[in-house]
């Protein structure tokens, strides 16, 4: 189809989405969303990094121990989703609390093969970890009876998910980091309970002085490996910030600066007094909360592809 006909079909499908009973037939709705995403890709061009790997960071927000436990739940959810897709997880940095929750955690989601091999086997239209998960970025909200409250009261907590593209060595050259603009700090990597795993200072934090953007890596064995990992993440963050400032056509890479609290959530996970997971951007929802937290995200991933 030419661009005019593509836009006409897009308008027709978007009109269907606005109908009150759109989600009554979930299979039909997902097929519509898939078709709409494909048409938008044809119109605007496929995202440059969609077939590549990704870096996810989960940060606990308002809610104390509950929020940190919610970050743990989200980590488990994405790990299970990645496992279903045949992807692997590599941890970059973990900051746990005494209950096993996470104040923050960063990890890579990787295809087991090179992007070229994977795209040839799956078909050119298939997205990789970044293209699949990029719209998961934003504030997530959990409502449940708190396991940390002696009176079993309902509690609301929040966590922020940040999704960045994982740059290849070639792509990293597009973001130049001047040594004089960097502040590099070293510390000891620590394990559960705060015990030092290594006597050497292997954890690395890099700060880009002009922007104040920082990146932390502690998952590798050596200081040099953590330094390279932190620099790679820093490049991705700076690139993303530059894209936002230029209002790039790659709108999928935007992450608004927002508070991790009420009113800014993109998705709610309600476990009490009823069960419902709902995405506030697309309207996609399901009452099967157990399946979602067990990594069944297809209903949301398909709906998010049109954002």
């Amino acid at each position: 189809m030419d661009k005019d006909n593509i836009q006409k079909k897009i308008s027709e499908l978007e009109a269907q989405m606005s109908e009150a009973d759109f989600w009554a037939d979930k299979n039909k709705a997902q097929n519509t969303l898939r078709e709409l995403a494909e048409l938008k890709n044809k119109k605007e061009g496929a995202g440059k990094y969609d077939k590549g790997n990704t870096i996810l960071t989960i940060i606990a927000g308002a809610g104390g121990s509950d929020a940190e436990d919610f970050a743990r739940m989200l980590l488990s959810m994405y790990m299970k989703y990645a496992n279903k897709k045949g992807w692997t997880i590599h941890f970059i940095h973990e900051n746990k609390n005494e209950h096993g929750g996470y104040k923050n955690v960063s990890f890579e989601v990787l295809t087991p093969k090179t992007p070229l091999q994977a795209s040839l086997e799956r078909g050119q239209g298939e997205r990789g970890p970044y293209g699949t998960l990029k719209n998961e970025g934003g504030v997530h909200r959990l409502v449940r009876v708190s396991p940390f409250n002696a009176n079993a009261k309902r509690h609301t907590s929040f966590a922020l998910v940040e999704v960045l593209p994982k740059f290849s060595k070639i792509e990293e050259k597009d973001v130049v980091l001047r040594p004089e603009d960097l502040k590099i700090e070293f510390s000891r990597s620590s394990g559960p309970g705060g015990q030092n795993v290594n006597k050497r200072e292997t954890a690395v934090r890099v700060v880009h002085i002009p922007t104040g953007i920082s990146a932390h890596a502690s998952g590798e064995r050596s200081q040099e490996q953590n330094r390279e990992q932190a620099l790679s993440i820093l490049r991705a963050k700076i690139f993303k910030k530059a894209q936002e400032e230029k209002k790039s056509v790659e709108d999928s890479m935007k992450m608004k600066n927002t508070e991790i609290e009420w009113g800014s959530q993109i998705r709610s996970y309600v476990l009490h007094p009823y069960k419902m997971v709902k995405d506030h951007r697309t309207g996609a929802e399901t009452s099967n909360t157990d399946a979602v937290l067990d990594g069944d995200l297809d209903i949301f991933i398909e709906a998010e592809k049109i954002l």
Side-chain angles (χ1 to χ4, degrees):
M1 292 189 291
D2 59 32
K3 286 190 176 181
D4 289 340
N5 285 327
I6 288 176
Q7 182 56 53
K8 182 179 179 181
K9 184 63 176 177
I10 287 174
S11 298
E12 291 174 359
L13 294 177
E14 288 178 335
Q16 292 178 29
M17 285 184 61
S18 65
E19 295 174 1
D21 61 347
F22 177 74
W23 286 103
D25 185 336
K26 288 190 170 78
N27 288 332
K28 182 180 178 181
Q30 286 183 324
N31 288 333
T32 300
L33 291 169
R34 190 176 294 111
E35 182 182 1
L36 181 56
E38 290 173 355
L39 288 170
K40 286 194 170 185
N41 280 336
K42 287 180 180 178
K43 179 186 174 186
E44 301 171 3
K48 183 177 179 181
Y49 303 99
D50 281 3
K51 288 185 175 68
N53 297 319
T54 189
I55 300 169
L56 266 68
T57 297
I58 303 173
I59 304 169
S65 294
D66 275 280
E68 291 164 7
D69 190 55
F70 183 32
R72 176 195 60 79
M73 293 167 64
L74 290 175
L75 171 63
S76 174
M77 181 181 77
Y78 289 123
M79 289 179 67
K80 290 176 179 178
Y81 179 75
N83 184 60
K84 293 175 190 287
K85 299 286 287 185
W87 298 335
T88 59
I89 297 291
H90 176 73
F91 283 90
I92 298 171
H93 175 68
E94 301 175 78
N95 185 3
K96 282 187 175 182
N97 66 16
E98 61 274 19
H99 304 296
Y102 286 87
K103 297 180 179 180
N104 56 74
V105 57
S106 296
F107 56 98
E108 295 175 326
V109 184
L110 311 167
T111 55
K113 299 177 182 178
T114 66
L116 177 59
Q117 288 174 318
S119 65
L120 288 174
E121 291 186 9
R122 294 191 308 258
Q124 291 297 324
E126 187 70 18
R127 299 185 180 199
Y130 177 70
T132 303
L133 295 170
K134 61 185 178 182
N135 288 313
E136 288 293 296
V139 176
H140 295 238
R141 168 179 170 253
L142 173 69
V143 180
R144 64 171 176 174
V145 172
S146 172
F148 304 100
N149 188 297
N151 297 319
K153 290 185 176 180
R154 189 171 66 175
H155 190 89
T156 300
S157 50
F158 301 86
L160 174 69
V161 176
E162 182 184 48
V163 186
L164 296 171
K166 171 67 176 174
F167 284 171
S168 68
K169 290 297 182 183
I170 295 175
E171 291 163 342
E172 284 184 355
K173 294 179 180 178
D174 294 334
V175 182
V176 178
L177 298 178
R178 300 189 307 169
E180 59 267 32
D181 289 340
L182 300 178
K183 179 182 179 183
I184 301 179
E185 302 170 343
F186 304 100
S187 61
R188 292 182 180 180
S189 297
S190 59
Q195 298 298 315
N196 290 325
V197 176
N198 302 302
K199 292 183 178 180
R200 294 180 58 206
E201 295 182 328
T202 57
V204 179
R205 179 174 181 263
V206 182
V207 180
H208 186 244
I209 298 171
T211 62
I213 296 173
S214 65
H216 194 132
S218 59
E220 304 295 341
R221 282 173 166 259
S222 73
Q223 187 181 92
E224 182 58 28
Q225 287 175 317
N226 281 322
R227 179 179 175 278
E228 290 301 314
Q229 184 73 273
L231 286 171
S232 181
I233 297 171
L234 187 67
R235 286 188 179 95
K237 288 188 174 186
I238 291 173
F239 176 83
K240 193 170 187 180
K241 180 178 176 62
Q243 293 297 91
E244 291 172 352
E245 291 176 347
K246 293 177 181 178
K247 298 187 182 297
S248 166
V249 293
E250 294 183 58
D251 292 331
S252 60
M253 298 187 70
K254 291 182 180 177
M255 169 78 75
K256 294 180 181 178
N257 293 323
T258 185
E259 296 296 325
I260 313 174
E261 59 184 22
W262 180 271
S264 58
Q265 66 270 9
I266 63 167
R267 187 180 300 153
S268 292
Y269 306 73
V270 181
L271 307 184
H272 182 82
Y274 56 90
K275 291 193 173 184
M276 180 68 69
V277 181
K278 180 172 183 177
D279 194 286
H280 301 290
R281 302 162 300 173
T282 63
E285 62 180 46
T286 177
S287 60
N288 195 347
T289 56
D290 291 339
V292 173
L293 293 173
D294 201 39
D296 188 0
L297 299 176
D298 288 342
I299 184 175
F300 304 110
I301 297 295
E302 293 299 327
E304 289 165 353
K305 284 182 179 179
I306 66 169
L307 295 178

